[in-house]
Amino acid sequence: MNSADKRRSFQFNRYTLLSIFLVSVTLVGLQLFLMRALSVVRYHHFSYLVISTALLGFGVSGTFLAFFYERMKSRFAFWVPLFYLVFLISIPVSYLAAQSLPIDTRYVLFSARQQLLMLLYNLLILLPFFFGAVIVGAAISYFRKEVSTLYAADLLGSGIGGMLAVLAMFFIPAIALPLKLALTVLIGLLCLIFSSPVSFFGERKPFTFFLLGAGIIVTGISVFLHPLETVDQYKALANFQRLEAQGDATPLIQEPGPRARIDVYQSERVHQTLFAGLQSQAMPPAQFSLLMDGGMAGTIFTVDSLDETAILDYTPQSVPYRLTENPKVLLLGEVGGTNAWLARRFGAESITVVQTNPQLTNLMKNEFAGESGRIYLKGNVTVINEDPRLFLEQTEEQYDIIQIAGVEGMSAGVSGLQSLHENYLLTVEGIAQCIKRLTPDGLLSITRGIQSPPRDNIKIFATFYESLESSGVESPEYHMLQSRNYLAANTILAKSRISTEQITAFRAVCDSLIMDAGWFPGISGAALEQRNKIAGPEGESYSYLHHAAGRIIAGNAKQFYQNWAYNVRPATDEQPYFFNFFKWSSVDQFMETYGRQWLQRLELGYAVLVITLIEVSLIAFVLILLPLFFRNRSLPLNRTSGWTLLHFAGIGFGFMFLEMVYIQRFTKFMGDPIYSVAAALTAILVFAGLGSASQRRINMPAARRIQAAGIGLLAIAGLYLLGLDSFLNLFIGFGTAVRFLVTFIALFPLAFCMGWFFPAGIEILENRSEPLIPWAWGINGFASVVAAPLGVMLSMEFGFTVTMGIALGCYGIVVVASIFWNKSCYL
């Protein structure tokens, strides 16, 4: 290359690396911002689609490069900046266009029109991820001698982008978050231009000014534009916005945040009675409605005195308080303070409120202190901002009543909107921690709404029973109480064997509150006659709740779980999905029973996950693999192409499975899913990036590096399976900063090895079969796309350990392939 050609060529330097780094920051930030925005305007399980859509964009970019990279290479300094500009423009255009689509979430499973709208939505969201991935993939192909450094910049940008995105969520409204990323892309475009100033400000000066002018205009519009908020019509937030439009509701505050967006409304048309029975003569007091991510989270009583909260005496939540005098109370997950008022009405000696969101606590102690009767500032009330499960494992205090208030409310219903959420408190191990924190005569209580057929309350009863068994309690049935009115069921676990006097008191409480006893030790006869009649076995006087309790206690639990229409098997720390009630074996039963409406009876969250897997697999096959296989006719079909398929598919599946598993496992340790994502995802991506960057300094053939990394990965993961939980338990009582550091240290060796495989594979292809590099990028993208929803499904069905074992099996295939083809494929 002569000096003139060199001046016109695209240069590799620190500005090039910074430009790729900023693309990766933007791509990860966009993914998290879209998920945050969709959690508010749609639902959690729809925001999950962003993960697969983002990965699909990466995979399609590989297919595009396989066909068009050779044309791009000759004019690289033109095409890459142009793609950068299109990347910048696509962020606001695709986001705003997608948000304008009239998607009706309740009919996505049944309406062809809605399914087409969802497909269009995904394709629109895919565009910025596609354009950004083309930039990264093209750079890796063009600067193939620097692949390890570029891959490191890519992973470092992804890791740091995740942390910066979480920080931004504290200050910027969720709906506007994606648009702000245009500024990051503009800075990246400037870095790209300054990486080769002679080229861009020479003969390409008009083109450069066009790039800068268009970029500045689009960025300015995006940064200062606040889009219209189109909330799903079925969400509580949409209902309050409709009431506001007609003058029947007043928004009091809106608080952005990474955990949830908080909205508080005042409306005379909305009152929560908290499952109070019909015999109540007390009216619900004036109240504010508290919304989290657009869903109803609780209520704030606007009262001045205890007398104004009399309606709480008639709720199922009051049952354990009527069985205990002057209790020391622990409220796990309480938000608006209503259960603190309940505890005070029954003379609680002390009340400890544990909930995760400090922003909510600040609102209750400051802006709404006066309106809420200063409930969180009372002398005997202590508020702790901590994950409930983590608090239980840290504290040594014991309580007379532990109320799991965070799951109170109506049941999940057929929509199953929480089915993809992990909940480490409602697992067998989580309830066992509650049992440890009870005084000898202590009671644990949960109240959930009634469903038909029942599932939530059956699963709670089953979880209590197995937790007692796992805690070494003999005859757990003598430690259980369950009662209900026509709205909700209250389930109680007693640490000590329930006495005859307590049973008498319990039955008296049920009579006074006009409630039916679903279970107490020795229940039979007249107690089975229902006052609040709900469905039960044909020809029997009792409900399905009593039927389920009897089957579980009689030792037929496994058979009952297998035969029941919904999944009511207790959740565990291995599968912490309490609200997943979906069962594959029940699909034919639903189809036979409900006919054309059978889909409406399924858990929507899980159904969307299945549809996502099918949809992205088909789209990925059509847009990624199929074109590549057609193109592969011109490529040699030999062991090199076979190795390429196994290697890049294996690391695509393996990397995603391991990433997902460790984010979930560290959620319990960090005590907050946001902190877990920030810590675990950043650690994995940053240290994998360092592993990639280290390849240039390791004097070892690429095939040997793959084998060494594979052996190291298998050994480290094996040690983690045996001892990671014990290691983390040593630091469970330390502060967030220390646990964050421990997460980094724990994941360093694993992630470092994970970063070796991709650059080593690219290096081999560069020396052996360069045309396969874009094809390898596409194979890796396809595997990653499918792995995202598949990994969640595997964890929900079989647990984290099995999923991790499959991930290690994928890496094992990569290692075996490298050995088998060593002589013929590797240099």
Side-chain angles (χ1 to χ4, degrees):
M1 179 183 296
N2 59 40
S3 59
D5 290 336
K6 189 172 183 179
R7 285 195 301 269
R8 288 193 295 268
S9 67
F10 202 85
Q11 302 297 306
F12 180 83
N13 49 43
R14 63 180 182 274
Y15 289 107
T16 314
L17 286 175
L18 184 56
S19 178
I20 297 301
F21 172 86
L22 288 172
V23 170
S24 299
V25 167
T26 304
L27 290 171
V28 170
L30 181 61
Q31 184 174 330
L32 295 176
F33 287 170
L34 286 171
M35 294 174 69
R36 181 92 291 280
L38 283 173
S39 292
V40 175
V41 299
R42 301 291 180 188
Y43 291 102
H44 169 77
H45 53 260
F46 282 95
S47 69
Y48 174 77
L49 296 176
V50 175
I51 299 173
S52 296
T53 303
L55 293 170
L56 185 59
F58 274 84
V60 175
S61 74
T63 303
F64 175 85
L65 290 171
F67 283 93
F68 298 105
Y69 171 71
E70 290 302 320
R71 301 180 189 178
M72 292 177 61
K73 183 168 65 173
S74 60
R75 300 186 64 196
F76 197 75
F78 169 79
W79 284 110
V80 170
L82 186 61
F83 268 99
Y84 228 114
L85 178 62
V86 177
F87 176 40
L88 191 158
I89 295 172
S90 69
I91 292 175
V93 171
S94 65
Y95 175 62
L96 295 174
Q99 291 300 100
S100 68
L101 295 177
I103 294 176
D104 190 326
T105 55
R106 300 291 181 177
Y107 290 92
V108 165
L109 299 180
F110 326 116
S111 166
R113 178 176 180 270
Q114 288 298 319
Q115 290 166 6
L116 288 174
L117 286 173
M118 276 299 298
L119 178 61
L120 178 58
Y121 188 98
N122 286 336
L123 291 175
L124 285 170
I125 293 298
L126 177 145
L127 289 177
F129 294 106
F130 165 74
F131 291 123
V134 166
I135 296 170
V136 176
I140 287 177
S141 298
Y142 189 78
F143 297 110
R144 53 188 179 274
K145 295 290 185 183
E146 310 292 340
V147 62
S148 59
T149 307
L150 279 167
Y151 189 55
D154 176 34
L155 291 178
L156 285 169
S158 299
I160 295 175
M163 296 183 66
L164 294 176
V166 171
L167 291 175
M169 292 175 191
F170 282 102
F171 309 104
I172 303 173
I175 194 70
L177 279 168
L179 299 179
K180 310 306 178 187
L181 285 169
L183 183 61
T184 310
V185 183
L186 179 63
I187 297 172
L189 179 59
L190 289 171
C191 292
L192 192 71
I193 291 172
F194 280 105
S195 68
S196 304
V198 175
S199 174
F200 281 104
F201 291 103
E203 61 187 36
R204 295 192 182 96
K205 185 181 292 185
F207 177 60
T208 303
F209 286 150
F210 165 73
L211 292 174
L212 292 176
I216 291 171
I217 291 172
V218 173
T219 301
I221 294 173
S222 299
V223 169
F224 293 104
L225 178 67
H226 189 83
L228 293 175
E229 188 173 80
T230 307
V231 181
D232 187 287
Q233 60 180 317
Y234 302 106
K235 296 196 79 169
L237 178 57
N239 181 51
F240 278 102
Q241 289 176 340
R242 288 190 290 267
L243 291 173
E244 179 187 356
Q246 64 192 40
D248 291 323
T250 303
L252 302 178
I253 199 166
Q254 182 184 115
E255 187 87 9
R259 292 180 178 88
R261 172 178 135 178
I262 302 171
D263 288 273
V264 180
Y265 276 85
Q266 181 181 20
S267 176
E268 295 296 329
R269 290 181 172 268
V270 180
H271 286 90
Q272 283 193 321
T273 59
L274 306 174
F275 306 126
L278 293 175
Q279 81 281 15
S280 171
Q281 297 182 357
M283 295 296 293
Q287 54 193 255
F288 296 156
S289 296
L290 178 63
L291 284 69
M292 309 282 276
D293 276 348
M296 198 71 182
T299 188
I300 302 172
F301 282 177
T302 58
V303 297
D304 295 319
S305 67
L306 200 59
D307 294 338
E308 297 176 74
T309 63
I311 193 173
L312 294 172
D313 294 355
Y314 303 94
T315 62
Q317 294 94 310
S318 71
V319 173
Y321 292 93
R322 294 173 180 273
L323 303 176
T324 310
E325 293 184 2
N326 306 118
K328 184 178 180 181
V329 177
L330 174 62
L331 301 176
L332 298 176
E334 173 65 11
V335 289
T338 52
N339 286 295
W341 285 115
L342 172 65
R344 285 178 61 82
R345 286 196 65 81
F346 286 90
E349 174 189 327
S350 66
I351 305 166
T352 301
V353 175
V354 178
Q355 64 93 12
T356 59
N357 199 328
Q359 291 175 283
L360 178 59
T361 301
N362 290 334
L363 289 176
M364 291 293 295
K365 288 186 174 182
N366 295 289
E367 285 89 339
F368 295 111
E371 291 87 346
S372 65
R374 305 178 69 82
I375 183 61
Y376 280 0
L377 297 173
K378 300 292 184 182
N380 66 338
V381 177
T382 302
V383 183
I384 298 173
N385 292 127
E386 185 65 272
D387 174 75
R389 173 67 183 273
L390 195 61
F391 172 81
L392 291 170
E393 297 190 357
Q394 291 174 340
T395 187
E396 296 296 329
E397 295 288 327
Q398 291 191 311
Y399 301 89
D400 301 307
I401 291 178
I402 298 178
Q403 184 181 352
I404 301 183
V407 296
E408 289 180 349
M410 293 307 295
S411 64
V414 298
S415 60
L417 299 180
Q418 301 184 72
S419 61
L420 302 185
H421 280 289
E422 307 82 23
N423 190 317
Y424 282 98
L425 183 58
L426 295 180
T427 64
V428 171
E429 297 87 344
I431 298 301
Q433 288 295 325
C434 290
I435 295 173
K436 290 181 181 179
R437 302 277 69 84
L438 288 171
T439 59
D441 295 323
L443 304 176
L444 172 64
S445 170
I446 298 180
T447 302
R448 289 287 291 173
I450 297 288
Q451 335 86 332
S452 180
R455 43 202 178 278
D456 298 55
N457 291 298
I458 292 177
K459 201 165 190 175
I460 290 169
F461 191 93
T463 304
F464 279 10
Y465 188 87
E466 290 199 13
S467 296
L468 286 163
E469 279 191 323
S470 70
S471 299
V473 174
E474 296 183 3
S475 303
E477 63 270 22
Y478 289 96
H479 297 253
M480 307 274 290
L481 299 169
Q482 191 172 66
S483 57
R484 62 173 177 82
N485 61 14
Y486 71 104
L487 289 173
N490 173 259
T491 308
I492 294 175
L493 177 155
K495 189 168 186 177
S496 298
R497 188 183 178 103
I498 297 171
S499 65
T500 303
E501 291 77 11
Q502 287 176 309
I503 295 173
T504 302
F506 171 72
R507 298 189 65 180
V509 168
C510 290
D511 290 338
S512 67
L513 295 177
I514 316 180
M515 297 179 68
D516 293 286
W519 179 262
F520 59 79
I523 187 172
S524 63
L528 297 176
E529 296 294 331
Q530 299 185 64
R531 285 172 284 200
N532 304 281
K533 191 171 181 61
I534 61 173
E538 186 175 353
E540 301 291 348
S541 61
Y542 49 80
S543 70
Y544 275 122
L545 287 178
H546 174 75
H547 169 75
R551 293 289 302 276
I552 292 168
I553 285 169
N556 299 320
K558 290 184 179 179
Q559 184 179 358
F560 173 74
Y561 299 151
Q562 183 177 352
N563 295 335
W564 197 246
Y566 291 100
N567 172 24
V568 292
R569 190 181 302 274
T572 65
D573 283 356
E574 267 288 296
Q575 297 168 275
Y577 301 95
F578 177 88
F579 293 103
N580 174 34
F581 301 105
F582 179 87
K583 281 180 65 175
W584 285 104
S585 59
S586 295
V587 171
D588 58 345
Q589 181 180 345
F590 281 112
M591 295 176 68
E592 180 181 348
T593 303
Y594 299 108
R596 295 179 63 182
Q597 284 75 42
W598 70 275
L599 275 171
Q600 300 179 37
R601 309 296 300 187
L602 294 181
E603 298 299 319
L604 182 58
Y606 193 92
V608 169
L609 180 63
V610 175
I611 290 173
T612 300
L613 175 61
I614 296 172
E615 180 182 288
V616 300
S617 298
L618 289 174
I619 295 174
F621 178 77
V622 171
L623 296 182
I624 300 175
L625 287 190
L626 194 59
L628 290 174
F629 279 119
F630 278 115
R631 183 183 185 276
N632 200 38
R633 293 177 179 177
S634 62
L635 297 176
L637 290 175
N638 52 30
R639 290 182 176 181
T640 301
S641 57
W643 170 85
T644 302
L645 175 64
L646 287 175
H647 179 87
F648 288 96
I651 63 176
F653 279 109
F655 195 103
M656 285 301 300
F657 286 169
L658 285 180
E659 181 181 287
M660 183 273 299
V661 165
Y662 281 107
I663 286 174
Q664 301 307 324
R665 292 192 69 179
F666 277 88
T667 295
K668 182 164 70 75
F669 175 66
M670 291 301 301
D672 186 280
I674 295 298
Y675 291 155
S676 175
V677 169
L681 182 62
T682 300
I684 290 172
L685 293 177
V686 168
F687 293 134
L690 292 177
S692 175
S694 70
Q695 300 291 284
R696 300 182 65 183
R697 302 184 180 182
I698 298 175
N699 187 20
M700 185 186 297
R704 295 287 181 259
R705 296 203 303 270
I706 291 172
Q707 294 161 23
I711 294 171
L713 186 66
L714 293 171
I716 293 165
L719 289 175
Y720 283 9
L721 281 173
L722 296 174
L724 180 62
D725 289 338
S726 298
F727 172 75
L728 296 179
N729 286 338
L730 298 174
F731 303 93
I732 202 74
F734 287 79
T736 301
V738 173
R739 284 181 280 119
F740 201 100
L741 180 61
V742 170
T743 300
F744 263 59
I745 294 172
L747 289 176
F748 169 72
L750 187 85
F752 188 78
C753 291
M754 290 165 66
W756 286 35
F757 295 92
F758 188 90
I762 292 293
E763 181 180 328
I764 292 168
L765 290 181
E766 177 195 351
N767 294 323
R768 181 71 178 179
S769 185
E770 183 181 336
L772 281 175
I773 291 178
W775 192 71
W777 181 264
I779 293 293
N780 184 258
F782 174 81
S784 300
V785 168
V786 177
L790 181 60
V792 176
M793 288 180 61
L794 289 172
S795 295
M796 295 177 75
E797 291 292 329
F798 305 109
F800 294 139
T801 299
V802 171
T803 306
M804 193 166 86
I806 294 172
L808 296 178
C810 292
Y811 279 110
I813 290 173
V814 171
V815 173
V816 171
S818 72
I819 297 172
F820 184 75
W821 280 307
N822 185 42
K823 291 184 179 180
S824 59
C825 296
Y826 297 121
L827 300 179

